[in-house]
Amino acid sequence: MEETILQAIRAFDLPEGNIRADAFGNGHINRTYAVSVEGRKERYILQRINQYVFHHPDQVQENILEVTSWLRRKITQEGGDPERETLRVIPARDGKPYFLDGQENWWRMFPLVENTFSRDLPDTPELFEKCGRAFGRFQRRLNDFPAGRLHETIPNFHNTPWRMEQLEEAARKNAAGRLSEVRAELEFCRERAKWADRLVRGFEEGRLPLRVTHNDTKLNNVLLDQKTGDAICVVDLDTVMPGLMAYDFGEAIRTGACTAAEDETDLSRIDLSLELMRAYTAGFLAEVREEMTAEEIQSLPWGARMMTLENGVRFLTDYLDGDKYFAVHRPHHNLDRARAQLTLLTRMEEKWEEMLAALS
Ligand code: GN1
Ligand code: MG
């Protein structure tokens, strides 16, 4: 085992004994290990936080600690098992919710939630409905959390008009000389500028309440119980921030109710599955409808449209910038992703009436 990993593990108060650490999971952002102590059955997750994405790992950890402590209390009150239904931050020996080593690496530890699995794609509407329930429950339990207390760890994350400005700036700079390739996509985005501020304006005008949002509501961030198949725990709390309910709902629909991959090049395969959207919506609203305002419920389909536009805009911006933010695995990868998102958005616009009807 690398000395830095061993040193990090020793910064946390684990039981005595021989330690082993194995690479774990398939995350693209943080480095993750499963840690065990000889002769003990409990395991731990050790992660090195990616500082290129998160400039203030201490603030990320403070957010996670606040939110998970709140969730633990709620789960206990409801008679649930907080050890399985939320993450628990294990403090370092000095009491901090992270360990900063001598080489500027930031580490954190959680108990590993055993006997669970996750899925990258919804095999069935039933599975997607369960995930909707899990994220709905997450929102319900955080309904009375003072969201403004959380750090905005990535500023302007879902400020769609700002994302549009970034696109215009990238087009002006044309840093990678690719502008002439993307005229049609740029025009497509510009035509949507008239509604890109719809959600942020709803917040600014006091019509949409500030919530705690997860911001990465992909299916594979829900742990399912191996025995019952129930969705029990929402993980990957790195981007927990103040935001709007529509962001989390929308991101789940964008990623989970699309019939093709995020970077699909055969655009004819890309569609919005209304069946999957209805399933997720039913699960989500069953948990949290009562805590929501009427206007907030109406904003949910807009979240799906907005997140799809926003990701298209971000991929296009990164393509123009020369692939600086998103990891690319082939030439034109960001352009392929942008085209796939804009195609999905077109399908959503065509099915808009049905999307609105999915709420009832
Ligand atoms: C990034 O790496 P991943 O898949 O968790 C990005 C999301 C994008 C997504 C698009 C912190 O998320 O906002 O929607 O890529 N996360 C960050 O694939 O920028
Ligand atoms: Mg993530």
Side-chain angles (χ1 to χ4, degrees):
M1 197 190 321
E2 273 174 52
E3 188 51 40
T4 47
I5 299 174
L6 193 59
Q7 189 204 0
I9 296 170
R10 291 213 173 105
F12 298 88
D13 191 13
L14 298 193
E16 290 294 315
N18 281 333
I19 287 169
R20 61 175 289 168
D22 302 294
F24 187 82
N26 55 2
H28 301 305
I29 305 265
N30 302 311
R31 267 173 62 189
T32 305
Y33 305 89
V35 175
S36 53
V37 182
E38 199 175 0
R40 314 274 304 205
K41 73 174 190 326
E42 56 278 25
R43 290 189 292 167
Y44 306 87
I45 289 288
L46 175 76
Q47 284 183 311
R48 203 184 79 188
I49 306 173
N50 182 331
Q51 272 154 273
Y52 295 96
V53 174
F54 301 103
H55 301 280
H56 300 286
D58 49 339
Q59 296 187 356
V60 170
Q61 285 305 97
E62 280 170 27
N63 280 358
I64 297 179
L65 183 61
E66 288 237 27
V67 163
T68 54
S69 308
W70 187 278
L71 288 172
R72 295 183 74 73
R73 199 163 49 75
K74 289 286 172 110
I75 293 164
T76 308
Q77 280 167 6
E78 290 173 20
D81 177 359
E83 284 295 300
R84 285 185 76 66
E85 294 177 43
T86 186
L87 297 178
R88 174 162 60 82
V89 176
I90 298 179
R93 288 177 194 272
D94 64 4
K96 297 209 173 83
Y98 52 80
F99 168 63
L100 175 59
D101 73 14
Q103 291 95 56
E104 292 289 306
N105 296 312
W106 295 76
W107 301 87
R108 67 174 172 208
M109 196 176 267
F110 305 106
L112 195 156
V113 185
E114 299 282 1
N115 303 316
T116 60
F117 66 100
S118 65
R119 285 270 178 274
D120 291 331
L121 292 171
D123 308 331
T124 61
E126 289 73 31
L127 185 94
F128 202 36
E129 176 174 354
K130 285 180 178 176
C131 292
R133 278 193 175 269
F135 283 116
R137 225 179 281 134
F138 181 83
Q139 282 293 342
R140 176 170 56 68
R141 288 171 175 159
L142 291 165
N143 177 43
D144 47 353
F145 183 98
R149 205 157 86 192
L150 295 178
H151 303 286
E152 199 178 345
T153 46
I154 305 180
N156 290 315
F157 198 58
H158 287 315
N159 183 343
T160 315
W162 181 80
R163 297 284 187 190
M164 302 282 275
E165 283 166 30
Q166 298 296 105
L167 173 61
E168 292 297 342
E169 196 177 318
R172 265 195 307 277
K173 285 196 185 136
N174 192 15
R178 293 167 166 177
L179 182 61
S180 59
E181 294 170 55
V182 304
R183 290 275 176 211
E185 289 76 14
L186 192 57
E187 197 44 45
F188 181 99
C189 294
R190 284 178 176 154
E191 283 164 13
R192 271 101 193 135
K194 54 185 175 298
W195 53 260
D197 67 343
R198 191 181 168 101
L199 293 174
V200 287
R201 203 157 34 79
F203 166 67
E204 283 162 7
E205 293 172 1
R207 289 179 285 106
L208 294 174
L210 196 66
R211 301 283 191 178
V212 178
T213 46
H214 179 282
N215 291 310
D216 193 7
T217 47
K218 291 186 190 73
L219 197 61
N220 60 13
N221 281 331
V222 175
L223 300 183
L224 301 135
D225 189 292
Q226 244 158 28
K227 273 199 221 101
T228 63
D230 286 341
I232 54 165
C233 184
V234 168
V235 298
D236 190 355
L237 304 178
D238 286 334
T239 46
V240 162
M241 274 185 272
L244 303 180
M245 197 86 100
Y247 299 157
D248 276 3
F249 177 88
E251 184 64 7
I253 300 303
R254 177 185 82 81
T255 54
C258 181
T259 55
E262 187 177 64
D263 57 356
E264 176 63 58
T265 52
D266 178 355
L267 300 181
S268 71
R269 299 184 55 191
I270 299 174
D271 203 350
L272 174 81
S273 161
L274 284 166
E275 188 189 20
L276 287 172
M277 178 174 174
R278 287 189 201 107
Y280 187 90
T281 308
F284 184 79
L285 286 181
E287 290 286 344
V288 73
R289 185 191 282 273
E290 302 206 336
E291 320 296 339
M292 297 174 73
T293 67
E295 179 141 3
E296 205 174 19
I297 295 175
Q298 292 306 318
S299 76
L300 295 179
W302 278 104
R305 244 169 119 160
M306 201 67 75
M307 293 301 101
T308 308
L309 172 65
E310 188 178 288
N311 275 275
V313 165
R314 288 176 68 190
F315 292 139
L316 196 58
T317 303
D318 202 34
Y319 186 67
L320 285 167
D321 285 345
D323 310 317
K324 301 278 189 251
Y325 189 95
F326 297 106
V328 289
H329 307 300
R330 57 179 190 248
H332 301 114
H333 203 169
N334 270 318
L335 182 56
D336 292 343
R337 289 170 176 146
R339 286 184 172 145
Q341 295 307 297
L342 301 181
T343 301
L344 177 61
L345 178 56
T346 304
R347 299 287 90 80
M348 288 181 178
E349 289 171 352
E350 289 161 0
K351 294 184 171 181
W352 187 237
E353 293 305 318
E354 289 105 312
M355 285 177 74
L356 293 176
L359 293 176
S360 47

